[in-house]
Amino acid sequence: MSRFPRRPAMRLAFAAAPLCLLLAGCADTPAPPPDGGLFRSMAAPGARLDAEAARDMISLYRRNHGLGGLVLDPGLMAQAQKQSDAMAARDKLSHELRGTLTARLDHAGYEKNSAVENVSAGYDTLADVFSGWRQSPPHNANLLAPGMKRMGIAAAYNPKTRYKTFWTLDMAN
Protein backbone atom coordinates (compact mmCIF):
# COMPACT_ATOMS: atom_id res chain seq x y z
CA MET A 1 0.00 0.00 0.00
CA SER A 2 1.31 3.44 -0.94
CA ARG A 3 1.90 6.25 1.57
CA PHE A 4 0.27 8.70 -0.85
CA PRO A 5 -3.46 9.03 -1.47
CA ARG A 6 -4.83 7.51 -4.67
CA ARG A 7 -6.39 10.71 -6.00
CA PRO A 8 -3.93 12.65 -8.24
CA ALA A 9 -4.83 16.04 -6.71
CA MET A 10 -4.23 14.74 -3.20
CA ARG A 11 -1.00 13.05 -4.31
CA LEU A 12 0.23 16.38 -5.71
CA ALA A 13 -0.68 18.22 -2.50
CA PHE A 14 1.24 15.73 -0.36
CA ALA A 15 4.26 15.92 -2.66
CA ALA A 16 4.24 19.74 -2.75
CA ALA A 17 3.86 20.26 1.01
CA PRO A 18 7.57 19.76 1.90
CA LEU A 19 8.60 22.13 -0.90
CA CYS A 20 6.22 24.81 0.39
CA LEU A 21 7.60 24.43 3.91
CA LEU A 22 11.15 24.66 2.62
CA LEU A 23 10.41 27.82 0.64
CA ALA A 24 8.56 29.40 3.55
CA GLY A 25 11.72 29.04 5.63
CA CYS A 26 13.67 31.01 3.01
CA ALA A 27 11.59 34.19 3.19
CA ASP A 28 13.69 37.34 3.60
CA THR A 29 11.39 39.12 6.03
CA PRO A 30 9.24 37.23 8.49
CA ALA A 31 5.68 38.35 8.90
CA PRO A 32 5.24 40.49 12.01
CA PRO A 33 3.58 38.62 14.86
CA PRO A 34 -0.11 39.49 15.26
CA ASP A 35 0.39 40.23 18.95
CA GLY A 36 -0.21 43.99 18.99
CA GLY A 37 2.79 44.42 21.25
CA LEU A 38 1.78 41.78 23.79
CA PHE A 39 5.11 39.98 23.42
CA ARG A 40 7.32 43.02 22.85
CA SER A 41 10.11 43.00 25.40
CA MET A 42 10.23 46.02 27.66
CA ALA A 43 13.66 44.95 28.94
CA ALA A 44 15.55 47.33 26.67
CA PRO A 45 16.42 51.01 26.76
CA GLY A 46 13.76 53.05 25.00
CA ALA A 47 11.25 50.18 24.75
CA ARG A 48 7.73 51.48 24.21
CA LEU A 49 4.72 49.86 25.80
CA ASP A 50 1.71 49.31 23.54
CA ALA A 51 -0.90 50.87 25.84
CA GLU A 52 -3.72 50.23 23.36
CA ALA A 53 -2.91 46.50 23.32
CA ALA A 54 -2.90 46.53 27.13
CA ARG A 55 -6.26 48.30 27.23
CA ASP A 56 -7.75 45.87 24.73
CA MET A 57 -6.46 42.80 26.57
CA ILE A 58 -7.58 43.99 30.02
CA SER A 59 -10.94 45.20 28.69
CA LEU A 60 -11.59 41.85 27.01
CA TYR A 61 -10.71 40.05 30.23
CA ARG A 62 -13.12 42.27 32.16
CA ARG A 63 -15.89 41.83 29.57
CA ASN A 64 -15.44 38.05 29.75
CA HIS A 65 -16.24 38.42 33.45
CA GLY A 66 -19.33 40.58 32.92
CA LEU A 67 -17.62 43.93 33.57
CA GLY A 68 -17.20 47.03 31.44
CA GLY A 69 -14.16 47.77 29.34
CA LEU A 70 -11.68 50.56 29.98
CA VAL A 71 -10.42 53.67 28.22
CA LEU A 72 -6.87 54.96 28.41
CA ASP A 73 -6.65 58.04 30.58
CA PRO A 74 -3.71 60.42 30.08
CA GLY A 75 -3.61 61.36 33.78
CA LEU A 76 -3.56 57.74 34.91
CA MET A 77 -0.95 56.96 32.25
CA ALA A 78 1.28 59.71 33.69
CA GLN A 79 0.77 58.51 37.27
CA ALA A 80 1.51 54.90 36.32
CA GLN A 81 4.70 55.99 34.55
CA LYS A 82 5.85 58.01 37.57
CA GLN A 83 5.29 55.00 39.83
CA SER A 84 7.13 52.62 37.50
CA ASP A 85 9.99 55.09 37.13
CA ALA A 86 10.24 55.51 40.92
CA MET A 87 10.37 51.74 41.46
CA ALA A 88 13.02 51.32 38.74
CA ALA A 89 15.11 54.18 40.13
CA ARG A 90 15.08 52.71 43.65
CA ASP A 91 15.16 49.03 42.64
CA LYS A 92 12.16 48.44 44.85
CA LEU A 93 8.74 46.99 44.17
CA SER A 94 6.24 49.03 46.18
CA HIS A 95 2.85 50.70 46.02
CA GLU A 96 4.00 53.45 48.34
CA LEU A 97 7.33 54.81 47.11
CA ARG A 98 5.58 58.06 46.20
CA GLY A 99 2.78 57.76 48.76
CA THR A 100 -0.39 55.72 48.65
CA LEU A 101 -2.35 55.51 45.42
CA THR A 102 -5.10 57.68 46.88
CA ALA A 103 -2.60 60.31 48.07
CA ARG A 104 -0.78 60.33 44.71
CA LEU A 105 -4.00 60.72 42.73
CA ASP A 106 -5.34 63.36 45.13
CA HIS A 107 -2.07 65.31 44.90
CA ALA A 108 -2.35 65.21 41.10
CA GLY A 109 -5.88 66.65 41.38
CA TYR A 110 -7.37 63.49 40.01
CA GLU A 111 -11.12 63.07 40.43
CA LYS A 112 -12.20 59.56 41.35
CA ASN A 113 -14.39 57.73 43.82
CA SER A 114 -12.34 54.58 43.78
CA ALA A 115 -9.09 53.42 42.27
CA VAL A 116 -6.94 50.28 42.27
CA GLU A 117 -3.33 49.62 41.42
CA ASN A 118 -1.27 46.63 40.39
CA VAL A 119 2.52 46.81 40.47
CA SER A 120 4.95 44.13 39.46
CA ALA A 121 8.56 43.61 38.48
CA GLY A 122 10.66 41.10 36.59
CA TYR A 123 8.28 40.45 33.71
CA ASP A 124 9.65 41.44 30.31
CA THR A 125 6.43 41.49 28.29
CA LEU A 126 2.88 42.72 28.66
CA ALA A 127 1.60 39.18 28.15
CA ASP A 128 3.78 37.91 31.00
CA VAL A 129 2.84 40.61 33.50
CA PHE A 130 -0.86 40.23 32.67
CA SER A 131 -0.61 36.48 33.19
CA GLY A 132 1.12 37.05 36.54
CA TRP A 133 -1.58 39.47 37.65
CA ARG A 134 -4.35 37.06 36.65
CA GLN A 135 -2.74 34.25 38.66
CA SER A 136 -2.40 36.35 41.82
CA PRO A 137 -5.73 36.59 43.71
CA PRO A 138 -5.23 40.20 44.96
CA HIS A 139 -4.00 41.42 41.57
CA ASN A 140 -6.78 39.56 39.76
CA ALA A 141 -9.33 41.17 42.10
CA ASN A 142 -8.00 44.56 41.00
CA LEU A 143 -8.22 43.59 37.31
CA LEU A 144 -11.86 42.66 37.95
CA ALA A 145 -12.73 45.56 40.26
CA PRO A 146 -16.30 46.66 39.50
CA GLY A 147 -16.93 50.20 38.33
CA MET A 148 -13.49 50.84 36.85
CA LYS A 149 -13.73 52.81 33.61
CA ARG A 150 -10.30 54.38 33.05
CA MET A 151 -6.78 53.02 33.16
CA GLY A 152 -3.14 53.93 32.87
CA ILE A 153 -0.34 51.42 32.44
CA ALA A 154 3.41 51.85 32.29
CA ALA A 155 6.69 50.00 32.40
CA ALA A 156 10.15 51.25 33.31
CA TYR A 157 13.45 49.54 32.61
CA ASN A 158 16.65 49.80 34.63
CA PRO A 159 19.33 47.23 33.74
CA LYS A 160 21.21 47.93 36.99
CA THR A 161 18.39 46.59 39.16
CA ARG A 162 17.46 43.14 40.38
CA TYR A 163 14.20 42.93 38.40
CA LYS A 164 15.14 45.10 35.39
CA THR A 165 11.51 45.88 34.36
CA PHE A 166 8.91 47.47 36.65
CA TRP A 167 5.18 47.68 35.86
CA THR A 168 2.26 49.76 37.14
CA LEU A 169 -1.43 49.50 36.25
CA ASP A 170 -3.74 52.17 37.72
CA MET A 171 -7.49 51.98 37.22
CA ALA A 172 -10.19 54.38 38.41
CA ASN A 173 -13.91 54.87 38.01
Side-chain angles (χ1 to χ4, degrees):
M1 183 172 230
S2 170
R3 302 183 315 172
F4 295 105
R6 293 183 185 213
R7 288 186 234 142
M10 291 297 288
R11 200 173 310 146
L12 181 60
F14 275 97
L19 180 60
C20 290
L21 290 173
L22 180 65
L23 290 174
C26 294
D28 285 339
T29 55
D35 62 30
L38 300 179
F39 299 100
R40 181 182 306 148
S41 177
M42 298 304 296
R48 292 186 47 103
L49 176 64
D50 188 338
E52 290 82 13
R55 177 208 53 219
D56 293 347
M57 182 173 52
I58 295 167
S59 291
L60 178 62
Y61 184 64
R62 290 175 56 80
R63 286 187 191 107
N64 285 341
H65 288 84
L67 299 165
L70 303 165
V71 297
L72 291 174
D73 181 284
L76 288 175
M77 292 291 293
Q79 290 302 312
Q81 190 64 62
K82 288 178 183 177
Q83 185 66 15
S84 290
D85 289 344
M87 291 187 298
R90 295 185 189 163
D91 193 14
K92 184 174 182 181
L93 179 63
S94 173
H95 288 278
E96 302 191 0
L97 283 178
R98 300 176 41 247
T100 66
L101 175 62
T102 300
R104 285 184 271 133
L105 295 180
D106 287 347
H107 180 72
Y110 209 83
E111 293 186 27
K112 77 327 185 190
N113 290 326
S114 63
V116 295
E117 178 175 71
N118 282 351
V119 295
S120 191
Y123 295 103
D124 288 346
T125 69
L126 178 58
D128 290 338
V129 75
F130 179 67
S131 179
W133 285 336
R134 281 190 348 255
Q135 293 173 26
S136 161
H139 291 100
N140 192 54
N142 284 345
L143 288 172
L144 299 175
M148 298 298 116
K149 295 181 173 118
R150 302 171 287 171
M151 67 169 274
I153 188 166
Y157 173 68
N158 184 345
K160 297 176 182 174
T161 62
R162 176 180 176 192
Y163 297 110
K164 312 288 187 249
T165 308
F166 295 79
W167 296 85
T168 304
L169 168 67
D170 289 336
M171 297 190 309
N173 62 346

